[in-house]
Amino acid sequence: MNIAKNMEVIAVAAAILIGASCYAIAPAAPALQVANSTATLAAPAGKAAMSMHVVQVKAKRLSAAEKARFA
């Protein structure tokens, strides 16, 4: 049996064995942990219950030459 001819089969079989062994020795999945957050607490009276997060991106616009360079 020529090993060079069967190298692809050997590599695939090794990958399958390694993948199966990872699942076999992995510990049981831990229980879900919920992070403490102020978003889950009730808001004081007079304020919105959930505040929306706002993301501001500040950057200069590209010039025509810079746009052409990236295109």
Side-chain angles (χ1 to χ4, degrees):
M1 181 159 120
N2 191 355
I3 294 179
K5 289 182 181 179
N6 298 318
M7 211 49 154
E8 182 179 3
V9 175
I10 293 170
V12 170
I16 291 171
L17 287 174
I18 290 172
S21 67
C22 288
Y23 284 112
I25 63 172
L32 293 176
Q33 296 178 356
V34 179
N36 292 336
S37 174
T38 56
T40 59
L41 301 176
K47 291 189 177 180
M50 297 293 288
S51 62
M52 184 180 293
H53 296 282
V54 178
V55 177
Q56 293 181 350
V57 179
K58 295 182 179 180
K60 65 174 188 150
R61 293 194 176 264
L62 294 176
S63 66
E66 290 171 332
K67 286 181 185 178
R69 186 179 70 182
F70 291 117

